[in-house]
Amino acid sequence: EIVMTQSPATLSVSPGERATLSCRASQSVSFNLAWYQQKPGQAPRLLIYRASTRDTGVPARFSGSGSGTEFTLTISGLQSEDFAVYYCQQYNKWPPPTFGQGTKLEIK
Amino acid sequence: EVQLLESGGGLVQPGGSLRLSCAASGFTFSNYAMSWVRQAPGKGLEWVSTISGNGITTFYADSLEGRFTISRDNSKNTLYLQMNSLRAEDTALYYCAKDKFLEWLLFFDYWGQGSLVTVSS
């Protein structure tokens, strides 16, 4: 099973600033990495797949990068609605597809 | 508009059974693999099971130890999860989720609102 590790667990950033979230895989997942956003009381929302492709309707301030074992989700010009928990997920080798433990992005 | 609506959750005693349903609409259900993903209270996401579009192929998390069965009825656009021998550690919000593409890659573009399963005496 591929273990996904996200850092930091909690990230405090001011509105308007940039947030950088990291995700590391225990072995290479190529580009087969997705990012989800989850707000309290809501289901996860797909933001990014194939490491850097934004899903339909996702604002351009969300960008993904990386390959192999190291990935980054960058959110530029943070808006109030962006404060949430973010999960990465690998789908290169399954079963099982595996999620990171999440990064909580909070308002500084 | 794609919609996934789970039902069937509730409170069940350890060792009991429950069947979750997920009614799908807004897309050609039989074309897509479907999955169940759960989230324990205050915890992260855990993949549970996946079934192919035609219902022939299934996968399960090892942690289930054969206690759960995923199935689908494409004539009713409905996904199911039969859960037997439930344990306290199965307590979670269970989401059904749709694969984004026809070729099943196991990442998910639509999720239901979740069905809460609580296992407690």
Side-chain angles (χ1 to χ4, degrees), chain A residues 36 38 43 49 55 87 89 91, chain B residues 39 95 100 105-106 108 112:
Chain A
Y36 300 88
Q38 188 178 34
Y49 61 94
D55 197 28
Y87 295 95
Q89 180 226 327
Y91 53 95
Chain B
Q39 187 169 36
Y95 294 103
K100 179 170 174 67
L105 300 176
L106 257 66
F108 315 110

Side-chain angles (χ1 to χ4, degrees), chain B residues 33-53:
Chain B
M34 296 292 295
S35 299
W36 291 96
V37 177
R38 68 184 179 183
Q39 187 169 36
K43 302 298 184 182
L45 302 169
E46 180 188 17
W47 172 79
V48 172
S49 182
T50 294
I51 187 167
S52 60

Side-chain angles (χ1 to χ4, degrees), chain B:
Chain B
E1 178 191 5
V2 172
Q3 290 193 331
L4 300 172
L5 185 62
E6 300 97 336
S7 60
L11 175 63
V12 61
Q13 292 187 339
S17 297
L18 216 52
R19 188 176 84 156
L20 303 182
S21 300
C22 172
S25 61
F27 64 103
T28 305
F29 182 68
S30 59
N31 283 354
Y32 291 87
M34 296 292 295
S35 299
W36 291 96
V37 177
R38 68 184 179 183
Q39 187 169 36
K43 302 298 184 182
L45 302 169
E46 180 188 17
W47 172 79
V48 172
S49 182
T50 294
I51 187 167
S52 60
N54 59 16
I56 292 176
T57 304
T58 58
F59 295 104
Y60 298 93
D62 289 344
S63 61
L64 303 179
E65 299 178 346
R67 299 177 296 119
F68 291 10
T69 302
I70 191 172
S71 62
R72 63 194 297 162
D73 185 337
N74 286 343
S75 69
K76 296 182 178 180
N77 288 353
T78 302
L79 174 72
Y80 302 101
L81 185 67
Q82 177 67 43
M83 303 182 292
N84 298 330
S85 303
L86 282 161
R87 306 167 180 169
E89 55 264 35
D90 297 317
T91 294
L93 189 61
Y94 284 74
Y95 294 103
C96 67
K98 169 189 167 291
D99 245 53
K100 179 170 174 67
F101 293 115
L102 295 176
E103 57 277 7
W104 51 335
L105 300 176
L106 257 66
F107 67 93
F108 315 110
D109 62 342
Y110 286 95
W111 300 62
Q113 85 292 346
S115 185
L116 183 62
V117 173
T118 303
V119 184
S120 175
S121 55

Side-chain angles (χ1 to χ4, degrees), chain A residues 82-102:
Chain A
D82 299 334
F83 292 95
V85 179
Y86 292 84
Y87 295 95
C88 62
Q89 180 226 327
Q90 71 81 19
Y91 53 95
N92 188 64
K93 185 176 180 181
W94 55 264
T98 47
F99 295 87
Q101 81 280 15

